[in-house]
Amino acid sequence: MAIEPSLLDTCTDHLKKCLKNIHKVIQKANEILCSISQPSVCSEVLLSSQGVDYISGVVEVYRVCKRMEAGMKTFSIDCEKLQHVLWDIELAWNNLQAFLSMCPSVLQKLPSPSALECEVEEVTRDSSLCFQRCCGVCLLETLQKKEEPESEVSMLHFAGRSYHPSCGNFWLHCVDSSLPALSCTNNCSMCVPLKAELS
């Protein structure tokens, strides 16, 4: 299912804004670890409770990126500027994993690459993209069962929109103080009944 051309630019700007901030967070983690010159000190930092919490947070930020990538595939959003940002994120993530290899016990706690991937299921709806039913950040409707730690957590609902908890949390803390609310087309067959209900 592809997004109508009139919405594509809006979606692209929304995704680019979020992905650029994801890149900043992962790049910052690289800079912090790179500034520690002694491997023993780096290991000590990473094994501390604050270090473990910090790396866990960075992993969740990367997980949001993988959801966004799956949302882009689901709705055929494929543009060069987004692919370029995704490439930068992957490069930063790979560099971070190289730093973490100095502390194997931390590296072993990271989710496997397959656990971070989101499966893209075929969309069978006969309407244009319905933003009311998708996460307002990553554009995925639900989390995959294998995805942790939110697989059992319901979507959060705010102002008539839905968000995965970590997607909404990342947006509010690292992108903007207002949650995003992309607008569907007027003829979206999923939203027309909802709009009638709300009016």
Side-chain angles (χ1 to χ4, degrees):
M1 179 188 300
I3 294 178
E4 291 184 8
S6 60
L7 292 175
L8 186 57
D9 285 344
T10 303
C11 286
T12 300
D13 290 344
H14 160 89
L15 292 165
K16 185 178 179 185
K17 185 177 182 181
C18 194
L19 288 170
K20 282 195 160 193
N21 282 282
I22 288 172
H23 179 248
K24 283 181 186 176
V25 168
I26 298 173
Q27 190 60 36
K28 182 65 176 176
N30 276 299
E31 290 168 9
I32 290 169
L33 293 178
C34 187
S35 69
I36 304 172
S37 57
Q38 297 292 328
S40 59
V41 176
C42 190
S43 292
E44 186 178 340
V45 168
L46 290 171
L47 289 171
S48 69
S49 59
Q50 295 94 333
V52 170
D53 288 347
Y54 178 72
I55 294 301
S56 295
V58 175
V59 170
E60 284 310 304
V61 169
Y62 181 68
R63 198 188 297 271
V64 171
C65 170
K66 299 311 284 183
R67 284 187 206 139
M68 293 178 72
E69 190 174 10
M72 289 165 58
K73 288 177 185 173
T74 300
F75 299 109
S76 304
I77 303 171
D78 184 20
C79 77
E80 190 176 334
K81 56 186 176 181
L82 291 178
Q83 293 302 326
H84 182 71
V85 182
L86 285 170
W87 171 258
D88 288 343
I89 291 169
E90 286 302 318
L91 185 60
W93 178 251
N94 289 335
N95 287 341
L96 181 62
Q97 288 182 304
F99 281 117
L100 295 178
S101 66
M102 289 188 281
C103 190
S105 60
V106 172
L107 190 61
Q108 289 171 2
K109 292 178 183 177
L110 293 181
S112 67
S114 62
L116 290 167
E117 292 293 332
C118 294
E119 294 176 6
V120 178
E121 296 180 2
E122 184 178 350
V123 180
T124 56
R125 293 196 298 260
D126 59 353
S127 67
S128 59
L129 172 62
C130 175
F131 291 115
Q132 297 287 347
R133 294 184 54 148
C134 297
C135 171
V137 174
C138 72
L139 306 184
L140 282 184
E141 194 167 337
T142 58
L143 292 173
Q144 302 302 315
K145 288 181 182 178
K146 69 178 182 179
E147 197 173 357
E148 295 293 342
E150 291 182 10
S151 58
E152 302 302 321
V153 178
S154 299
M155 299 281 274
L156 300 176
H157 303 285
F158 178 75
R161 305 310 298 268
S162 298
Y163 304 90
H164 297 123
S166 62
C167 289
N169 187 49
F170 175 76
W171 186 277
L172 289 172
H173 286 92
C174 299
V175 182
D176 196 296
S177 58
S178 298
L179 287 167
L182 297 171
S183 299
C184 289
T185 56
N186 291 331
N187 63 349
C188 172
S189 66
M190 303 301 278
C191 286
V192 168
L194 179 63
K195 288 172 183 173
E197 242 178 71
L198 295 174
S199 61

